[in-house]
Amino acid sequence: MPPVLLLMLYGALCSFGTAMLREEKNKLRNQVVEMFDHAYQNYMDHAYPADELMPLTCRGRVRGLEPSRGDVDDALGKFSLTLIDTLDTLVLLNKTTEFEAAVRRVLSDVRLDNDIVVSVFETNIRVLGGLLGGHSMAVMLKEGRQHMQWYQDELLNMAKDLGLRLLPAFNTSSGLPYPRVNLKHGVRGPETRTGTETDTCTACAGTMILEFAALSRFTGDPVFEEHARRALDFLWEKRQRNSNLVGTTINIHSGEWVRRDSGVGAGIDSYYEYLLKAYVLLGDDEFLQRFNTHYASIMKYISQPPLLLDVHIHKPLLPARTWMDSLLAFFPGLQVLKGDIRPAIETHEMLYQVTKKHNFLPEAFTTDFRVHWAQHPLRPEFAESTYFLYKATGDPYYLEAGRTILDNLNRFARVPCGFAAMKDVRTGSHEDRMDSFFLAEMFKYLFLLFAETDDLPFDVEDYVFTTEAHLLPLSLSTSPYSSPIASNRTTDEELDDSNFDWTCPNTRLLFPDPAFPRNLREPIRGVVDKSCPRPAPYREPGMGRPPLRAQDFMANNPEHLELLRRMGVSLIHLKDGRVQLVQHATQAVSAVAAEDGVRFMQEMMELSSQQQKEQLPPRAIQIVSHPFFGRVVLTAGPAQFGTDLSKSATGVRGFVTVAEPYRGCSEITNAEYVQGHIALLQRGQCMFAEKARHIQKAGAIGGIVIDDNEGSSSDTAPLFQMAGDGRSTDDITLPLLFLFHKEGNILLEALKEYREVEVLLSDKARDRAAIFKGKPLPGSLIEGSVDVQEAEEDCQTEATTPTSFEPVSQSQISTVELDESAAEEVSPAQEEISPATTAEEAPQEEVSPVEQQADSAQPKEERDEKRDSEETKEPRDDTDSNSQSVDEMLADWREDLEAFRQMEKDEL
């Protein structure tokens, strides 16, 4: 079947409902262009030639000069990543002059021989894809005889140079590439920091064929396509033959599956995408046959409309997790290309409702649509699926969905120097990050969504979009290709002819009734709106009552510590300030005391879980003065005392001033400046509550404590709640918030440069229009009825996170059954992943009251850190679905943590 037939679906438009007026579409199209200009020009003005823009601090991110973000930084290779990734976007948006200037910059400034280790996957889709997309556009413009007449395939030559630098990664017995390569030295072992890895994600190995085949066909050198095909052949052979699914992580040497969970999101996503698009681009039926085989299994086991849930490849009827990641938002768009429109509509509607609930898609969210991981790095996958569904259905509903995306980006992510990623979708706080894919993908899809055919400089139907939205011409299918590598052809016996039923649909037959898509969407909207049920009240397991109840426990009470000792429970203060509980039943003074210890640990687990659900969420510090005007929002930790900002309709607004002494541990000496202001304090030397009392006495209306640990950041450490000092804090009536050093430095630098800096302390970022019109600030940023807002707020403030107490029994407690809802909240001590709330500033040997954790996000440095190769546990056959042992519970948490670590590595 010619590849162009699949693309006929894009042009089969039907008009349902009232179409958006062309004038309104043009207005939104122009808004997309203006937003792109804001992002691109700030990158060029403040960051170039660095790889990325840091939009909060208005400077470039240069690898090695900024604190490491772990594997996230493997996308950066000191090759002006954002500029290369944006080349073909410039042409699509009719910025031909800027494109020509950008190409000249790339040719004169960019070096590819840097002694730096990069991700093979990210470099392929972003840099190699960007160069090939730029080459395609340059050739197209040159053929038009108006622009780029000087161009002589320079970008293609750079692309071949880069391809040759990536090829050493494929030097494995399996043909699967190493996940990293040194641009200068290739893969030589530890001395080049390469060649030591054993595992890679399925998407990392299976997302090479489009760029490598295009490179081969452009240059006439088959070596690139041969290696990409060999990797795909190996993955196909290693699929689980009963389920026809692939796992998430594979050993590149043995081909054994390291992680056997399977889905369509992080770790696997673009493997499926490239099988279908490789057929479209190259015209090879084998790719379509493989895709259809996988797709039949996806629809049988993973798709539970509107949900897409991971399963185990060996037991595909058994779910592997209870949450979904945001990367799966691309899948409805792929289903459009496949022609399976109904589930695409259903899943997209679920994603749209989650987006409206939280303003953006959280990095991960649960099956009842609560926030699981709260970050949002401005990912484009939802916009991508929105565009493809509009093209397939012509339904103006998807134009409104696009308008929602635009509005949320401008309201919550736009800052003076670009667009900042969301650190926490619940508070609206920002991260100093604007990934290159934001310019490469987001603006492409939004522009195409609102543009008319005559707005486009070329016919997009002549191109295939890569996973990074780079444009490769369909004409490559006619380019010669020959390979000596024997292909593992799919046999007819492995295929079910029914798999091909949806390949080239007639959309008029799919939608005989214009109301059909709406009928699919309505039930899903109701399901999401009615989500977030409250947890059932805790019922104490067992019959006995321990001598010490968890809710009464005080960590600085000697009598309580003695009771713990008698029960075989040890309290450990970790170096980072966390408190850890460990039970050794054999160390209890008696069997009865050991049983009491088991009950105490059970209560502590449940109490920690309940406290996590009830605790204060992170707070927001919004800079509202010139030139920020509310666009910069910093993630702040709350205090367990003082004003509860969630109960304040307006928050606390005021100018900041540095208190003297800066530590705030004695009477404030510059009270005349502090009075009526928000005081800035430095962490250390005394209790948080003591600092609050001193600035309150000086007349401050609020306080911000800035961490004294240089380099600390909420990027790499979760926030905590500031606890009291062990006595009543009812006398403290002002709000006190905590900033890590990095975020605090943004505030201090602003104060240094502009002298007068006004901030708003609140529970979440507020609508800027309301701020500057002087209206009362809404309690929620979500539009809708009061009842809906209350339900949504519940969703936003609850997240499945580890507790700060880490009760772990090393003997009898492992046999105790716990309620599963509580079990999900407990983190294993050996992972050391959940910092406690710091309650005091005194030396660590002083014991503090019971401490809690406030932030839901795991430390990025821990998420990025590669775990030792730990054998994935096979799914268990539970006889009681309502309970599980502590060992199983901790194993579940480890799997969840590892899944998110892997997600950060897979595609960013």
Side-chain angles (χ1 to χ4, degrees), residues 1-19:
M1 177 183 295
V4 71
L5 291 181
L6 270 174
L7 295 186
M8 287 174 62
L9 175 61
Y10 295 164
L13 300 181
C14 306
S15 295
F16 303 131
T18 303

Side-chain angles (χ1 to χ4, degrees), residues 644-711:
D644 185 351
L645 291 170
S646 66
K647 297 179 181 178
S648 171
T650 60
V652 174
R653 180 172 174 173
F655 289 91
V656 296
T657 189
V658 178
E660 295 179 5
Y662 190 23
R663 295 281 189 179
C665 293
S666 59
E667 186 171 343
I668 303 300
T669 58
N670 64 336
E672 66 275 17
Y673 297 106
V674 169
Q675 185 174 9
H677 287 68
I678 295 173
L680 300 182
L681 304 155
Q682 189 177 46
R683 181 183 183 183
Q685 296 184 358
C686 64
M687 312 288 278
F688 289 116
E690 186 176 348
K691 297 175 188 288
R693 289 189 178 97
H694 284 137
I695 62 172
Q696 180 172 291
K697 182 179 178 182
I701 59 174
I704 300 172
V705 179
I706 298 174
D707 195 6
D708 60 344
N709 180 18
E710 187 169 350

Side-chain angles (χ1 to χ4, degrees), residues 158-418:
M158 286 187 69
K160 184 173 182 179
D161 179 26
L162 180 60
L164 292 171
R165 296 180 185 280
L166 296 179
L167 276 184
F170 290 82
N171 189 23
T172 62
S173 58
S174 66
L176 298 180
Y178 284 102
R180 295 173 186 82
V181 69
N182 186 296
L183 288 175
K184 189 177 184 69
H185 302 293
V187 177
R188 293 186 178 177
E191 67 273 14
T192 61
R193 305 186 301 284
T194 54
T196 58
E197 303 98 337
T198 59
D199 306 333
T200 192
C201 72
T202 302
C204 300
T207 310
M208 309 293 291
I209 185 63
L210 292 187
E211 292 83 3
F212 269 42
L215 183 57
S216 282
R217 306 214 175 184
F218 273 132
T219 63
D221 185 347
V223 65
F224 307 104
E225 186 169 348
E226 289 168 2
H227 280 83
R229 283 177 177 261
R230 185 182 175 203
L232 281 178
D233 289 345
F234 190 83
L235 289 173
W236 172 251
E237 286 299 309
K238 291 300 178 180
R239 75 191 186 283
Q240 212 290 322
R241 295 304 179 100
N242 292 323
S243 66
N244 278 318
L245 295 173
V246 292
T248 303
T249 308
I250 191 170
N251 185 294
I252 60 178
H253 305 296
S254 68
E256 294 296 317
W257 291 110
V258 179
R259 280 186 52 209
R260 300 175 178 89
D261 50 312
S262 183
V264 297
I268 303 179
D269 49 1
S270 48
Y271 163 68
Y272 293 135
E273 178 185 4
Y274 269 38
L275 281 179
L276 182 55
K277 290 184 176 179
Y279 163 68
V280 176
L281 180 66
L282 306 176
D284 189 335
D285 290 346
E286 182 179 25
F287 292 123
L288 178 62
Q289 293 168 352
R290 292 180 182 181
F291 174 80
N292 278 322
T293 301
H294 284 312
Y295 187 77
S297 294
I298 290 170
M299 299 309 293
K300 182 177 180 179
Y301 300 119
I302 294 171
S303 177
Q304 302 177 33
L307 307 179
L308 292 164
L309 296 178
D310 283 22
V311 299
H312 296 273
I313 59 175
H314 294 94
K315 297 182 179 180
L317 297 177
L318 189 64
R321 64 172 70 149
T322 58
W323 49 272
M324 296 170 280
D325 64 73
S326 63
L327 286 171
L328 61 75
F330 90 101
F331 198 67
L334 190 65
Q335 289 179 306
V336 169
L337 182 59
K338 163 69 178 173
D340 197 4
I341 307 295
R342 178 180 183 129
I345 291 173
E346 293 173 326
T347 298
H348 179 276
E349 181 61 20
M350 177 270 293
L351 296 168
Y352 186 30
Q353 295 304 320
V354 173
T355 296
K356 291 201 291 187
K357 183 179 291 293
H358 302 298
N359 300 322
F360 299 96
L361 272 182
E363 277 291 71
F365 52 94
T366 62
T367 53
D368 58 354
F369 315 114
R370 304 174 194 268
V371 172
H372 189 64
W373 307 107
Q375 303 94 326
H376 173 78
L378 307 182
R379 293 200 187 277
E381 285 77 15
F382 178 65
E384 175 184 356
S385 288
T386 302
Y387 162 65
F388 284 121
L389 268 169
Y390 177 66
K391 289 288 286 183
T393 67
D395 191 338
Y397 180 82
Y398 297 108
L399 296 177
E400 294 301 327
R403 189 204 300 268
T404 299
I405 297 171
L406 282 184
D407 289 347
N408 287 342
L409 285 172
N410 273 321
R411 291 177 65 196
F412 306 121
R414 186 165 181 147
V415 295
C417 285

